[in-house]
Amino acid sequence: MPALEERIKSLVIKLHEIDALKFGDYKMKVGINSPVYFDLRVIVSHPAVMRMLAELMWDFTKSDVECQHICGVPYTALPIASIISVTANIPMLIRRKETKDYGTRKLIEGKFNKGDKCIIIEDVVTSGSSILETYRDLCNEGLDVTETIVVVDREQGGLHNLAKYGVKMRSLCTLSKIMDVLCEAGRVDSSTVQRVKDYLASSQVNLKNYIDVGVKTEVSSNRRLTMNFVQRAAEAKSPLSSRLLHLMSKKRTNLCLSADETTVKEILNLATTLGPYICMLKIHSDIIEDFSPEFTEKLVDISNNNDFLIMEDRKFADIGHIASMQYSRGYHRISSWADLVTVHPIPGDGILDGLKSAILDIPNKPIRGCFLVVEMSSKGNLCSPEYIKGALKLVSAHEDFVSGIVCQSSTTVTLPGLIQLTPGVQLVAGGDKLGQQYNSPEHVMLSLGADVAVVGRGITKAKDPTQAAVEYRDRLWAAYEKRII
Ligand code: S5P
């Protein structure tokens, strides 16, 4: 077989022949126009080139690699990775690109163990952002990503950007080398070579939108995610948001226990034993069979002794007039004992006015706050991006009362003074039989942007709820510390 170098030259010419490599004026994903464009997707229509490329990639890689898995960056590199997997008999992993609205929310398909070594295969690298996304998800699942092998390095900063995050990358060929090969073969003229050279000199891509948080995560320019809780308390407009941020920082816990039990005894028992580990205890008072005013008095005492807040997860959703009575009247008299409540923004502004008016009637005017439920954790929920956007508009007129947002995405909450509460958390990703979807503590903190994570059955149904609460508290707090700078 010819030397690697000769095979690379033949491949470059083939790629040019099948139009996987074109010259002109192309708009790129990173926003700079390019005189050269790679479209390696076309190789699926040329099986012989696909095999040539995959075999070459593996021969280039194999002498210097140790891995239990190969993962192709979606989508172009998937067929290449598949062929390598079959040729080299190395199991493949697939990273899902979509993170929402499917069964288990599993991000990585394929069987693996934590600590397994994995290499990433990519077709073309420009800034390195797609590779970083794949790298982040593999790391978050506990895989040890040893390096990335790419077909073409466009030499626009990808290698440097990846190195900044500790990601090793090797490329089969660079754009400069491709230009040399094509020029030598008489397939491009010297003015095209010069245009590409000039372009490379003026179009280095710097990834500002990534920060190093140990397990890498994209945090864009969202200050909330990198500030610590005390710094954020200074920007909080709602007194309860400020109190919760300080409380979390002092107690070093951002765990909210969802005590979804149906008897007073079980809830008080959980509050007493797990109180030291949590920042908030959340209940649904309407599922408690023996609810009484004495219960709430005892719960408030336990919360004072253990320094946590009480949230009634009532999810109010009626017109302001009714919501105000549901909050302060009836059997539960929620406003008299719950520091925080959850509210659906669906009725519009009036529901917040209604709830706030009810607080004015409580003797001593206690500090109260609410969390707007803008996006749910359940499969198939109807919270569209338009709904979320509209719901968030309610915040500015009620900054004193809205302490935070219940949601599932790191980009929803940007104001540092607002707190993101994210339910659907268990030690491993998965779901229940009724549509609930779970993500790991690290994933909700580092990828979904949670500040407070809500854990219910993951703790209450554990063999040893205390041990489980300690594990959730420690993992959530460690992830928070990795995130802040
Ligand atoms: O989107 C949501 C919002 C909430 S508040 N998804 C949720 O699961 N919740 C609540 O979090 C839900 O009502 C329940 O009390 C808790 C999740 O419990 P788990 O047992 O599934 O952890």
Side-chain angles (χ1 to χ4, degrees), residues 208-377:
K208 293 197 195 72
N209 292 348
Y210 282 79
I211 59 151
D212 193 346
V213 287
V215 177
K216 284 37 174 199
T217 181
E218 183 178 4
V219 295
S220 70
S221 53
N222 192 344
R223 283 170 62 235
R224 173 181 71 86
L225 296 167
T226 53
M227 290 169 73
N228 69 40
F229 289 151
V230 174
Q231 290 165 335
R232 288 174 51 189
E235 296 193 27
K237 302 277 181 354
S238 133
L240 253 201
S241 163
S242 166
R243 187 166 149 210
L244 180 55
L245 288 162
H246 278 297
L247 188 164
M248 290 195 285
S249 185
K250 185 168 140 227
K251 215 172 158 185
R252 298 174 65 79
T253 176
N254 56 338
L255 169 63
C256 166
L257 172 69
S258 195
D260 299 330
E261 304 298 334
T262 53
T263 65
V264 158
K265 191 172 159 208
E266 288 167 301
I267 297 173
L268 293 179
N269 192 21
L270 283 170
T272 313
T273 41
L274 306 185
Y277 313 112
I278 60 176
C279 64
M280 192 191 293
L281 184 102
K282 185 175 84 57
I283 61 170
H284 288 274
S285 58
D286 52 1
I287 63 170
I288 305 173
E289 282 163 0
D290 50 351
F291 182 93
S292 67
E294 294 74 48
F295 158 68
T296 56
E297 274 167 35
K298 283 186 190 150
L299 190 60
V300 169
D301 275 350
I302 301 171
S303 80
N304 288 335
N305 293 338
N306 288 277
D307 204 12
F308 62 76
L309 300 184
I310 302 172
M311 172 182 270
E312 161 57 22
D313 194 1
R314 177 61 179 75
K315 297 192 182 74
F316 294 106
D318 215 319
I319 56 168
H321 174 63
I322 299 298
S324 94
M325 291 193 287
Q326 289 172 321
Y327 187 28
S328 59
R329 311 289 291 272
Y331 192 54
H332 294 110
R333 307 227 168 226
I334 296 165
S335 62
S336 70
W337 52 269
D339 300 297
L340 292 156
V341 290
T342 48
V343 182
H344 278 301
I346 186 111
D349 225 28
I351 191 165
L352 293 172
D353 287 327
L355 294 173
K356 283 202 292 192
S357 71
I359 305 170
L360 300 176
D361 300 337
I362 318 172
N364 304 331
K365 313 261 172 317
I367 303 176
R368 297 289 182 243
C370 76
F371 274 69
L372 288 184
V373 183
V374 309
E375 187 188 12
M376 296 206 63
S377 60

Side-chain angles (χ1 to χ4, degrees), residues 436-453:
Q436 175 69 304
Q437 302 180 108
Y438 292 114
N439 287 297
S440 70
E442 290 73 21
H443 190 69
V444 292
M445 292 302 297
L446 297 171
S447 298
L448 306 187
D451 295 317
V452 176

Side-chain angles (χ1 to χ4, degrees), residues 413-434:
V413 184
T414 49
L415 291 175
L418 282 180
I419 297 170
Q420 175 175 332
L421 184 94
T422 301
V425 185
Q426 287 211 349
L427 293 178
V428 283
D432 71 8
K433 288 185 188 141
L434 298 173

